Amino acid sequence: GNSVTQMEGPVTLSEEAFLTINCTYTATGYPSLFWYVQYPGEGLQLLLKATKADDKGSNKGFEATYRKETTSFHLEKGSVQVSDSAVYFCALSDRGSGYSTLTFGKGTMLLVSP
Amino acid sequence: EAEVAQSPRYKITEKSQAVAFWCDPISGHATLYWYRQILGQGPELLVQFQDESVVDDSQLPKDRFSAERLKGVDSTLKIQPAELGDSAMYLCASSLAWTVQETQYFGPGTRLLVL
């Protein structure tokens, strides 16, 4: 079956530090890959996505590249801000029993201090 | 920007009581999803609708959970009777279509506490 593995948190960084959150996946088909962000007490917001191998998704300074050879979709940001503190979820969308299903990782909490 | 609406935002109930959650997807979105998110975990799909039809409810505990989307627009998820283990965040999402590339847009969620 499909699965997503993320690095465990919390990840604690100082403002302006470089961020990497690792994500690897297992899928039976040709999935699309997503990063969602969840702020405290809120729902999930799409951060970026990539739909085929070697695609790079980017948004708000965050980037992730769909690497089929390593089955990875690592999230990076060059300079984090306090406002980036949240939980980040890696997810894949694959064809289930005729319809697409979204499988999430367990989430990685990011804490950025001033 | 259009959003997925959910209500209530918070619900406290006693075990064995009935609870219901409501979701209004983004206008024009044919596919609607209900997820359950346990604290510290990622969301897990409970049920998926395409228009008014259920297309995946394999993870829905059907002895106590039910979901409907009668007119293919808004949807209701019900739990009867609630159990302590049902305490979680219930998230609704919608997408324009069910294809693999399509983005799912999430509502703010309903946080349920069963006492």
Side-chain angles (χ1 to χ4, degrees):
Chain A
N2 297 334
S3 67
V4 175
T5 302
Q6 291 181 235
M7 61 188 292
E8 289 194 18
V11 173
T12 305
L13 295 173
S14 298
E15 205 166 23
E16 299 184 1
F18 183 86
L19 168 71
T20 299
I21 299 178
N22 291 337
C23 171
T24 57
Y25 68 89
T26 302
T28 54
Y30 298 93
S32 294
L33 301 173
F34 302 80
W35 277 101
Y36 282 86
V37 58
Q38 187 174 34
Y39 297 98
E42 298 185 10
L44 277 69
Q45 301 175 24
L46 176 70
L47 184 59
L48 54 84
K49 74 177 191 182
T51 59
K52 61 183 187 295
D54 299 325
D55 269 2
K56 177 186 285 189
S58 61
N59 185 27
K60 300 179 181 179
F62 291 90
E63 294 183 339
T65 301
Y66 188 160
R67 301 288 188 197
K68 190 175 180 181
E69 64 275 13
T70 54
T71 61
S72 65
F73 193 54
H74 304 321
L75 182 68
E76 296 182 336
K77 187 176 186 183
S79 176
V80 294
Q81 305 300 312
V82 172
S83 57
D84 294 328
S85 297
V87 180
Y88 291 80
F89 290 94
C90 184
L92 71 84
S93 176
D94 198 2
R95 185 76 67 89
S97 54
Y99 290 86
S100 64
T101 59
L102 199 57
T103 302
F104 286 88
K106 292 186 176 181
T108 302
M109 180 179 288
L110 171 65
L111 299 172
V112 181
S113 58
Chain B
E1 183 175 307
E3 296 180 342
V4 176
Q6 288 188 250
S7 67
R9 291 293 307 275
Y10 305 93
K11 179 70 178 179
I12 300 174
T13 191
E14 294 184 347
K15 63 179 181 180
S16 79
Q17 297 298 304
V19 292
F21 313 131
W22 177 80
C23 172
D24 191 14
I26 293 173
S27 178
H29 280 196
T31 313
L32 184 146
Y33 313 81
W34 282 102
Y35 289 87
R36 177 168 59 187
Q37 184 182 21
I38 296 169
L39 193 63
Q41 302 288 321
E44 294 182 334
L45 181 70
L46 290 174
V47 61
Q48 178 178 348
F49 289 90
Q50 181 63 27
D51 298 310
E52 67 277 7
S53 301
V54 173
V55 297
D56 186 353
D57 63 357
S58 57
Q59 300 303 311
L60 189 71
K62 299 181 191 62
D63 57 334
R64 297 185 301 107
F65 285 64
S66 64
E68 61 183 17
R69 192 183 184 199
L70 293 177
K71 297 183 179 179
V73 181
D74 59 338
S75 174
T76 302
L77 178 69
K78 297 179 181 178
I79 308 175
Q80 184 173 15
E83 295 180 353
L84 297 179
D86 296 331
S87 295
M89 173 81 90
Y90 290 83
L91 294 164
C92 179
S94 70
S95 63
L96 199 58
W98 54 264
T99 60
V100 169
Q101 298 84 3
E102 203 66 44
T103 297
Q104 293 184 26
Y105 296 90
F106 285 80
T110 295
R111 185 169 294 283
L112 173 67
L113 178 61
V114 182
L115 302 176

